[in-house]
Amino acid sequence: MKKSYRIKKEKEFQKIIYKKNSYANRNFVVYIYPAEENSHFRVGLSVGKKVGNAVARNKVKRLMRHALFELKEEIKPNYNIVLIARPKIVELSFVEVKNNIVHVFKLANIIE
């Protein structure tokens, strides 16, 4: 994904999480916050150490980024999103990861 679609700063993560507008399923937690200045969505990914070692965490992040890349046309604009992976995500394939992201985004009403 392009840099303009990413959230990288800790203060931005904390601002979105602090608002406590969250939705979850078994494999993901998503926090959303309406953005004023952007014409497209921005997303920050978080994969904690409980998921596994660095290799496993990076693999999960790659899968998440690829799923978001495929879904970017369907995601509503003007949202800042923090997507947090839960530990069971390591056992899933790409299709299952994508389906879980779609499910949690539908719960959050970010996607139709």
Side-chain angles (χ1 to χ4, degrees):
M1 300 196 75
K2 293 181 182 178
K3 285 188 179 184
S4 62
Y5 284 88
R6 296 184 200 158
I7 297 173
K8 294 291 257 179
K9 295 181 181 174
E10 180 68 22
K11 285 194 177 207
E12 292 175 332
F13 272 89
Q14 294 302 325
K15 178 181 175 184
I16 296 166
I17 291 171
Y18 178 73
K19 297 299 177 181
K20 296 183 180 160
N21 195 4
S22 68
Y23 304 88
N25 63 12
R26 290 183 180 195
N27 297 307
F28 290 105
V29 178
V30 64
Y31 290 89
I32 61 170
Y33 184 72
E36 307 84 24
E37 71 278 348
N38 297 345
S39 60
H40 56 77
F41 70 94
R42 293 174 59 218
V43 67
L45 304 176
S46 177
V47 182
K49 288 188 176 183
K50 288 184 180 180
V51 172
N53 62 10
V55 175
R57 292 193 305 269
N58 287 328
K59 180 183 176 189
V60 169
K61 284 188 270 190
R62 282 194 308 272
L63 292 174
M64 291 166 62
R65 275 195 296 268
H66 187 65
L68 289 168
F69 178 77
E70 289 187 0
L71 295 170
K72 76 177 183 179
E73 300 300 323
E74 301 173 35
I75 299 172
K76 293 180 181 178
N78 296 328
Y79 277 104
N80 289 331
I81 303 164
V82 173
L83 187 62
I84 301 172
R86 290 186 168 167
K88 293 280 185 182
I89 198 73
V90 175
E91 303 164 2
L92 302 181
S93 67
F94 170 70
V95 175
E96 293 169 324
V97 169
K98 184 178 175 183
N99 289 339
N100 276 287
I101 290 174
V102 168
H103 177 257
V104 78
F105 280 5
K106 282 182 181 178
L107 290 175
N109 200 18
I110 300 173
I111 202 171
E112 282 86 30

